[in-house]
Amino acid sequence: MSIAANKVPGVRASVVTDTFSAEATRLHNNANVLCLGERVTGVGLALKIVDIWLSTDFEGGRHQRRLEKVTEIENFK
């Protein structure tokens, strides 16, 4: 699902399987689509991941440069 979603300009989808990654994908990549595997993520963990992911803001700074590079690639024609 993340591979297909990331083909859409402006989408930054992340597969998340743990709470650390939930926070890191928001802090560092400003992910805006959360992908959870139903077969590998239990309900309790999924709820924790969603809570952390939704409550974490993008850090910006040095990470902003990476997102600008991604946007350049998206806009390349």
Side-chain angles (χ1 to χ4, degrees):
M1 74 182 105
S2 67
I3 293 170
N6 281 319
K7 300 289 183 185
V8 177
V11 170
R12 292 173 304 282
S14 294
V15 176
V16 176
T17 58
D18 57 79
T19 56
F20 173 82
S21 298
E23 183 176 35
T25 60
R26 295 285 288 154
L27 281 173
H28 298 171
N29 299 327
N30 201 16
N32 55 16
V33 174
L34 174 63
C35 302
L36 299 171
E38 184 267 333
R39 293 183 187 180
V40 297
T41 308
V43 174
L45 178 58
L47 292 171
K48 287 179 188 174
I49 287 171
V50 170
D51 284 344
I52 290 168
W53 197 82
L54 289 173
S55 65
T56 303
D57 292 324
F58 179 51
E59 212 171 45
R62 64 188 175 96
H63 307 295
Q64 182 62 42
R65 291 190 307 261
R66 181 182 328 113
L67 294 183
E68 289 167 2
K69 289 179 183 180
V70 170
T71 300
E72 285 179 31
I73 294 168
E74 289 175 341
N75 294 330
F76 182 77
K77 296 182 183 186

